Amino acid sequence: MSAGSDAAAVDLSVEIAGVVFPTPVMTASGCAAAGRELAPFLDVAGLGAVVTKSVLLDARSGRPTPRMVETPSGMLNSIGLQGPGIDAFLAHDLPWLVQRGARAVVSIAGGSLGEYAELGRRVGSSPGVAAVEVNISCPNVEERGLVFACDPFQAGRAVGAARRGIPREVPVLAKLSPDVTDIVSVAKSVLEAGATGLSLVNTTLGLALDPHTLRPVLAGVTGGLSGPAIRPVALRCVWQVHAAMPEVPIVGIGGIRTGLDALEFLAAGATAVQVGTVTFHDPSAPERVAHELRAELATRGICSPRDVVGVAHREPG
Ligand code: DHB
């Protein structure tokens, strides 16, 4: 394809661990529950995938309010994994996505290895799951010691526990935290434990103070920072992991708002991307970002997102 080609000539499909997605743009977990609330704004079946809010074994009401606050370039949240629990999710939410022809990437989160194992079994035996995202990096837990992704050994154990119940043909994406010294060592550990790809990255731990009271705004004190503020951090994580393991599928996440942002993540080494925080003020953003990415590729005469994965690592010329 030559420079300035027709956008219609671009084939946006990508493959992650043997599963084909029609576009590389997915929703990000936690920003639209199980996807129903996006349906008035976009065609869920046209997205790369809908990544559902991390589900736990039991229903949970989450942390006390206030649990969301805007900061100058991002959003800080401390939801506390509110959700219906795995039974209600499998009975109502997953079938809704499957009936509409959407690809469901189901995010699971546990508080113990046993919970990850049980969630892996339950989700792994449910038809219609395109992939499982194992969230081992939720920042909103009582103790930092419970953030499995902050320790390579614990990260591998949690992903290994979930993986055992999931059929081989279903990709398992481990979602890692940027709040570590060496993300490559965590990535290696979860891949050895059976992850077939990586979601990079989850929110980073932050704090907002009320300017009047000088007390924390969030009832949970700290929260996960997302949005444009973390985009360079996420891009750096994708870059580092791709440089170390160029064959591993990476889904890039962090402050992506435009097709050009998405293209940068592909160039750094991601095969696909997720769009999250921007959906709070532009709920059609995941669809728009895919259209914009198509135009960005066409302008550059590139036929497929597969052709730009990792190009930022190549010597010019
Ligand atoms: C929550 C979970 C996350 O993984 C995250 O990054 C931010 C918030 C939560 O439900 O609290």
Side-chain angles (χ1 to χ4, degrees), residues 56-311:
L56 298 134
L57 275 185
D58 297 320
R60 172 131 57 150
S61 55
R63 280 185 159 180
T65 58
R67 51 193 197 176
M68 273 171 101
V69 58
E70 279 187 56
T71 75
S73 55
M75 190 183 86
L76 197 64
N77 86 83
S78 164
I79 305 300
L81 294 169
Q82 178 191 349
I86 192 67
D87 290 336
F89 174 83
L90 293 178
H92 307 295
D93 296 332
L94 183 60
W96 184 88
L97 285 169
V98 173
Q99 277 156 20
R100 269 150 198 83
R103 282 143 304 280
V105 174
V106 178
S107 171
I108 58 173
S112 66
L113 297 181
E115 280 181 34
Y116 278 108
E118 177 66 13
L119 285 162
R121 270 195 295 277
R122 298 292 306 276
V123 172
S125 57
S126 303
V129 175
V132 179
E133 186 173 83
V134 186
N135 181 2
I136 54 170
S137 45
C138 172
N140 298 326
V141 291
E142 295 299 326
E143 293 164 47
R144 287 305 281 170
L146 278 174
V147 182
F148 292 88
C150 289
D151 175 79
F153 178 70
Q154 296 300 341
R157 293 220 300 166
V159 171
R163 168 85 264 188
R164 277 187 279 285
I166 300 169
R168 284 186 79 81
E169 65 275 14
V170 178
V172 172
L173 303 169
K175 188 164 181 179
L176 304 190
S177 171
D179 296 345
V180 292
T181 306
D182 178 13
I183 196 156
V184 172
S185 64
V186 186
K188 284 183 175 158
S189 179
V190 296
L191 291 162
E192 274 164 25
T196 40
L198 304 166
S199 293
L200 304 178
V201 288
N202 209 319
T203 54
T204 183
L205 194 68
L207 172 73
L209 295 185
D210 180 310
H212 302 293
T213 65
L214 297 180
R215 296 277 307 146
V217 178
L218 298 173
V221 182
T222 56
L225 182 68
S226 62
I230 72 162
R231 196 159 63 84
V233 176
L235 197 62
R236 179 267 300 174
C237 290
V238 171
W239 170 282
Q240 288 179 322
V241 174
H242 183 79
M245 294 174 288
E247 70 293 348
V248 171
I250 297 173
V251 181
I253 319 157
I256 295 171
R257 289 183 295 179
T258 67
L260 189 54
D261 294 344
L263 183 63
E264 286 186 19
F265 274 80
L266 301 185
T271 296
V273 295
Q274 295 177 6
V275 172
T277 303
V278 68
T279 50
F280 287 97
H281 76 86
D282 176 9
S284 65
E287 200 170 75
R288 174 180 55 74
V289 169
H291 287 307
E292 291 175 359
L293 176 62
R294 179 186 291 281
E296 292 289 349
L297 291 169
T299 304
R300 291 168 173 77
I302 300 165
C303 302
S304 164
R306 304 174 197 220
D307 296 338
V308 284
V309 175
V311 293

